[in-house]
Amino acid sequence: MKLAKALGSVGGLTLASRVLALVRDSLAARYVGAGFASDAFNGVAFRLPNMFRALFAEGAFAAAFVPMFNRKAAGEGGLPAGYDFAERALAVLLPVLIGFTILLIAAAWPITWALSGGFSRQNPTPAQFDFAVMLARITLPYLALLSLASLLGGILNSLDKFWVNAAAPILLNLAMIAGLWLFHGENEYETARVQAISVTVGGALQLIWLILACRRAGVSMRLRRPRMDKDVRDLLRLILPAAAGAGASQINLLVSTALSGWLLASGSITYIYYADRLNQLPLGLIGIGLGTILLPTISRMLSRGEEQAAMETQNRGIELALFLTLPATIAFIVVAEPIVRGLFQYGRFTVEDARRCGWALSAFSIGLPSYVLVKVLTPGYYARGDTRTPVRYAMLSILINIIGNIALIPLLGRFGFGHVGPPLATALSSTVNVAMLYRTLVARGHFAADAQLKRRLPRLALAAVVMGVALFLFDGPLYPWLSGPMLHRYLALAALVGAGVAMYGLACFATGAYRVADLRALMRRRAATK
C-alpha cells in the first residue's frame, strides 16, 4: 500500500473526526463557556480519556503489539499464530483493565486533585470540587473500553484495514455532539455532566464498532483463562516504556494542566484545552495517520531484511509530514485569534476568552512540526523492538517541560500572559525530544536524509512563510465576518483556509519545492495503478 494513499484514507477519516471534534467543542464553548465547570471537565474528566487514547490507541499498545503480531503472522504459523497471540494478550489485558478501572474510580478524589493542582487559584467550594470528582468517575470506564478497542484496532491495522480503526473516534464525537445538542442543561454544570456521560457512551460505541469490524474480517477473539507466558511477558515489558515514550506530549499536557490549575486563574485550563484541540487537528490528520501506517509498514520491511526500503519510507514520511505541517504551523501563529473567534466565540465564550485562547494556540503551534515528527520517527525504534530509547528521551522532555512551566508561568504572568507558559513549555520540550530521536537514528545508521528530502525542506519552509504573509494581509477584510452570525463565520473561515491552501500550493511551485515534472510523474503513477 502506497504511503500517500494509505495516509489519504486514514487521514481523511481522522480529519472527519477532528472536524466533528471542532463542532463538539464549539457547542461546549457555547453552553459551558470558560469557567470552573469547563475547567473541571476539560482539565480532569476529559483529559484522562484523551491521555489514554494517545497512550494506547495511538501509542504504546500499538507500538508493542503490532510488531509482535506481524512477526507471529509472518512466521510458520501464519495469521492463525498471530490471532492466537492476540487472544493470549486479551486474556491478560481484560482482568488488568477491569481491576485498574475500579482502582481509578475509587481513587478519583486524589487523581482529580493531582491533575488539577487542586484548582488552587480558583479556590473552589467543597461542592465544586466534588463535582469535578464526579465527572472523573463518570468518564473513567472509557479507559477500559478504549484499551480493549486498541487491541482490536491493532489487529486490523496489521491486516492493512487502517480505515476501520481510524473511523472509530468519529463515534465518540457523534455521541458528544448529540449529548450537547439534545440534552444540554439549564446551566454549565448540568451540561458538563452530560458531556461526561457521553464520553463513556462513545467509548462503548467504539468498542462495538471494532468488534463487528473484526468479525467481518474473519477475526473472532475468544476469551481464555489468563496465562503469563513468554510472549505476554515480552508484550508487557515493551508496553510500559512505549507508553511513556509515545505519550510524552500527553504527559507534558498533564503536567501543564496541573500547574495551570495550581497557578492560574479560572478559565486558563479551558483556554489551553481549546488551543490544544485546534493544534491536534493537523496532528491528528498527519502525525497520527503517518505513525499508524509507518509502524506496521516498516516492521514488515525490516522482518524481510529490507533496511534500505524502510529508510526510504521514513524519508518520504518526514517529507510528507512537513509538507502538510509547516503551513499549519505558520497559519496558527499568524491568524490564531481569528480562527478561535470564528469557531468558539459564542454564548458563554467571550471576546476576551477568544483572545486569550488565541495566544495559547500560537504558543502550541511553535511545536507542531516536532509533535508530528515524534510520531514519524518513533516507528523507527519500535519496529526494531527498541522501546527504551524513546522513553529515556521522553522523560527528559517531560523534565524540560516541568522546568519550563515553573519558569514561564510566573515570568509571562507579569505581563498578563501566564496561561501561555504551559503551551510554550510543551512546544519547546517536544522540539528537544524530536531532536534527540533524530540524532540517535542517524548515529545508529537507521536513518539518513536523502537528496530529495534535503532539497525540498528549506523550499517548503519558504513557501509556508509566503503563505503566512498572505494570510496576515487577508485577515483584515474578513474580520467583521468572523464576528458575525454562524454562517458568516464558517464562510469566512472557509475563505481563509482556501486562500491559505491556494497560496501555499502556488508558493511550493514558485520556490521549487515541487516542480511540474513531479506532478506529471504522480499522474502517470496513478494512471498506471488503475
Side-chain angles (χ1 to χ4, degrees), residues 341-365:
R341 189 171 61 247
L343 288 171
F344 301 133
Q345 190 182 305
Y346 298 96
R348 297 178 185 274
F349 203 83
T350 67
V351 174
E352 182 62 21
D353 292 333
R355 183 178 297 112
R356 290 183 171 276
C357 186
W359 297 339
L361 175 58
S362 293
F364 265 130
S365 64

Side-chain angles (χ1 to χ4, degrees), residues 168-288:
I170 292 175
L171 297 172
L172 171 65
N173 289 320
L174 289 175
M176 296 187 70
I177 289 171
L180 285 164
W181 185 259
L182 300 174
F183 304 107
H184 61 269
E186 295 182 358
N187 58 56
E188 61 268 33
Y189 289 91
E190 291 180 7
T191 306
R193 187 183 296 109
V194 169
Q195 284 182 287
I197 294 170
S198 61
V199 167
T200 298
V201 171
L205 293 175
Q206 286 178 275
L207 180 58
I208 293 169
W209 163 258
L210 288 167
I211 289 173
L212 295 175
C214 280
R215 288 183 177 176
R216 286 195 299 270
V219 181
S220 181
M221 301 290 291
R222 298 172 299 165
L223 290 178
R224 296 184 178 186
R225 182 174 298 175
R227 189 165 63 90
M228 191 67 67
D229 57 30
K230 181 181 182 301
D231 289 333
V232 174
R233 285 197 300 271
D234 288 344
L235 178 66
L236 295 177
R237 178 177 55 82
L238 292 171
I239 283 176
L240 292 178
S249 62
Q250 290 298 315
I251 295 170
N252 280 338
L253 281 171
L254 284 179
V255 171
S256 298
T257 301
L259 288 171
S260 298
W262 180 36
L263 298 172
L264 295 173
S266 176
S268 296
I269 291 176
T270 298
Y271 303 146
I272 294 170
Y273 168 79
Y274 285 137
D276 177 52
R277 295 307 302 166
L278 285 170
N279 193 56
Q280 290 286 327
L281 183 61
L283 175 59
L285 172 63
I286 306 161
I288 293 168

Side-chain angles (χ1 to χ4, degrees), residues 74-412:
E76 295 181 0
L79 278 175
Y83 297 150
D84 176 73
F85 166 65
E87 287 181 355
R88 287 182 281 128
L90 176 63
V92 173
L93 182 65
L94 182 58
V96 169
L97 286 174
I98 292 173
F100 186 57
T101 302
I102 293 172
L103 177 64
L104 288 178
I105 290 174
W109 197 98
I111 289 173
T112 300
W113 191 95
L115 291 180
S116 65
F119 298 106
S120 297
R121 279 290 300 274
Q122 301 188 36
N123 194 26
T125 65
Q128 285 179 311
F129 193 83
D130 288 343
F131 173 80
V133 174
M134 179 198 65
L135 294 184
R137 288 195 169 116
I138 292 173
T139 60
L140 279 169
Y142 180 89
L143 310 184
L145 296 168
L146 184 65
S147 299
L148 293 173
S150 300
L151 184 144
L152 302 179
I155 294 173
L156 292 168
N157 285 345
S158 296
L159 299 175
D160 285 345
K161 298 184 181 297
F162 299 109
W163 75 270
V164 179
N165 197 30
I170 292 175
L171 297 172
L172 171 65
N173 289 320
L174 289 175
M176 296 187 70
I177 289 171
L180 285 164
W181 185 259
L182 300 174
F183 304 107
H184 61 269
E186 295 182 358
N187 58 56
E188 61 268 33
Y189 289 91
E190 291 180 7
T191 306
R193 187 183 296 109
V194 169
Q195 284 182 287
I197 294 170
S198 61
V199 167
T200 298
V201 171
L205 293 175
Q206 286 178 275
L207 180 58
I208 293 169
W209 163 258
L210 288 167
I211 289 173
L212 295 175
C214 280
R215 288 183 177 176
R216 286 195 299 270
V219 181
S220 181
M221 301 290 291
R222 298 172 299 165
L223 290 178
R224 296 184 178 186
R225 182 174 298 175
R227 189 165 63 90
M228 191 67 67
D229 57 30
K230 181 181 182 301
D231 289 333
V232 174
R233 285 197 300 271
D234 288 344
L235 178 66
L236 295 177
R237 178 177 55 82
L238 292 171
I239 283 176
L240 292 178
S249 62
Q250 290 298 315
I251 295 170
N252 280 338
L253 281 171
L254 284 179
V255 171
S256 298
T257 301
L259 288 171
S260 298
W262 180 36
L263 298 172
L264 295 173
S266 176
S268 296
I269 291 176
T270 298
Y271 303 146
I272 294 170
Y273 168 79
Y274 285 137
D276 177 52
R277 295 307 302 166
L278 285 170
N279 193 56
Q280 290 286 327
L281 183 61
L283 175 59
L285 172 63
I286 306 161
I288 293 168
L290 272 174
T292 299
I293 296 161
L294 284 174
L295 178 57
T297 302
I298 292 176
S299 65
R300 280 197 299 269
M301 289 175 175
L302 293 177
S303 68
R304 297 194 296 259
E306 300 172 355
E307 184 76 33
Q308 190 58 40
M311 192 178 297
E312 164 72 13
T313 298
Q314 205 153 22
N315 263 281
R316 301 289 72 77
I318 291 175
E319 180 184 319
L320 188 56
L322 291 178
F323 167 70
L324 297 170
T325 304
L326 289 174
T329 301
I330 297 298
F332 282 160
I333 291 174
V334 174
V335 290
E337 185 183 336
I339 291 172
V340 172
R341 189 171 61 247
L343 288 171
F344 301 133
Q345 190 182 305
Y346 298 96
R348 297 178 185 274
F349 203 83
T350 67
V351 174
E352 182 62 21
D353 292 333
R355 183 178 297 112
R356 290 183 171 276
C357 186
W359 297 339
L361 175 58
S362 293
F364 265 130
S365 64
I366 294 172
L368 184 55
S370 61
Y371 304 145
V372 172
L373 287 176
V374 166
K375 301 289 185 182
V376 176
L377 293 177
T378 48
Y381 293 89
Y382 295 150
R384 295 175 173 87
D386 179 8
T387 58
R388 295 186 180 276
T389 300
V391 75
R392 288 201 302 269
Y393 295 156
M395 291 298 102
L396 182 56
S397 74
I398 290 169
L399 177 61
I400 293 171
N401 182 52
I402 293 172
I403 295 171
N405 271 275
I406 294 173
L408 290 172
I409 289 176
L411 177 64
L412 297 177

